[in-house]
């Protein structure tokens, strides 16, 4: 019995070694040999002015266009304000692409590099030319990602997790979410209405005063804090770009309003009803669109004179 066990053990070990060798050969053949590239062999729009960015996902796409110094999302013939910082970060990351090497190919079989069902295809249109590339799979061994350049019939290997953050973003993720864009020091008047409370305060010689109330002293720090919070407020979601009515949002009978005056500019927001436990529907003076905002902004809106007056 011991003889047969010893013989079986030897055969088992031999089989395991054989399987390991087969696996090694398979992965060796599966992994494409990578050629090291010189730094100037290919570049991603390094010295060019980017005019537009197109991102094609498996089930959607995003078009970003630059007009002067401003970026916009083109969505169903609408031009919506885009977040310049997000787009600049994307372009910066593309320009800084770390190319590890290239894969020698005769004819590109998109499927073998995970390019047939790619994460995203990106088109950068600059003042000089169009740059198109497709993000594929990670390489089988090591750390890197396949990127196909159709115009060059070239498959590059770049850093692992290449543009992962942007490969799953929707058009909403590129939207500018700032509610206002004012300089707090330039605001000279604020109008507040909330329920049974309403007041106007104005700034004169660096001090805040209540309109028509000489006996009420305003706490400058409290007002500055309100200005700071509202100037940095960001919307949570874009609920309805072209609302047919305001009743469902409670904006036909608002719960509160606040407006900030800067020379001939007015920045105002109207609060509707609660969307849920954490947010309210709002509408700004500058747009017909309906947004949602975190409830903390509504809480910072003064509901009585004590919340802006000195002790």
């Amino acid at each position: 019995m011991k003889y047969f066990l010893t013989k079986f053990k030897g055969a088992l070990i031999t089989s395991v070694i054989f399987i390991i060798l087969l696996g090694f050969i398979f992965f060796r053949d599966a992994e494409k040999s990578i050629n090291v590239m010189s730094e100037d062999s290919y570049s991603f729009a390094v010295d060019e002015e980017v005019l537009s960015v197109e991102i094609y996902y498996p089930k959607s796409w995003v078009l970003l266009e630059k007009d002067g110094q401003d970026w916009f999302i083109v969505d169903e013939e609408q031009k919506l304000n885009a977040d310049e910082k997000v787009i600049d970060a994307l372009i910066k990351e593309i320009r800084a692409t770390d190319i590890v090497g290239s894969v020698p190919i005769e004819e590109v079989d998109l499927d073998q590099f995970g390019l047939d069902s790619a994460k995203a295809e990106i088109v950068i249109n600059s003042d000089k030319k169009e740059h198109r590339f497709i993000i594929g799979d990670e390489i089988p061994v090591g750390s890197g990602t396949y990127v196909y350049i159709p115009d060059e019939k070239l498959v590059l290997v770049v850093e692992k997790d290449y543009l992962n953050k942007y490969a799953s973003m929707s058009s909403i993720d590129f939207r500018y979410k700032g509610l206002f864009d004012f300089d707090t020091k330039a605001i000279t008047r604020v109008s507040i209405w909330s329920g049974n409370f309403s007041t106007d305060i104005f700034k004169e010689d660096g001090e805040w005063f209540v309109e028509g109330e000489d006996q009420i002293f305003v706490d400058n720090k409290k007002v500055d804090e309100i200005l700071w919070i509202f100037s940095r407020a960001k919307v949570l979601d874009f609920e309805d770009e072209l609302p047919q009515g305001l009743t469902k949002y409670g904006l036909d009978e608002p719960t509160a309003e606040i407006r900030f005056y800067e020379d001939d500019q007015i920045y105002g927001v109207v609060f509707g009803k609660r969307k849920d436990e954490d947010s309210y529907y709002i509408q700004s003076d500058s747009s017909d669109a309906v947004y949602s905002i975190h409830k903390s902004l509504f809480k910072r809106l003064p509901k009585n004179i004590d919340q802006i007056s000195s002790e």
Side-chain angles (χ1 to χ4, degrees), residues 2 22 51 59 61 68 78 88 105 117 135 149 153 164 187 191 194 196 205 209 211 253-254 260 266 269 294 299 304:
K2 183 178 180 181
L22 281 177
L51 303 176
K59 295 183 180 180
W61 74 296
Q78 292 186 83
D88 285 349
I105 53 173
S117 56
I135 304 172
I149 315 296
K153 290 293 188 288
N164 260 7
I187 299 299
S191 295
S194 179
N196 295 322
D205 297 329
F209 301 91
E211 185 77 45
E253 297 181 1
F260 306 91
I266 302 175
V269 61
H294 195 269
K299 288 183 176 180
N304 56 65

Side-chain angles (χ1 to χ4, degrees), residues 16-26:
V16 170
I17 293 173
F18 180 70
I19 291 170
I20 292 173
L21 286 172
L22 281 177
F24 172 77
I25 293 170
F26 173 79

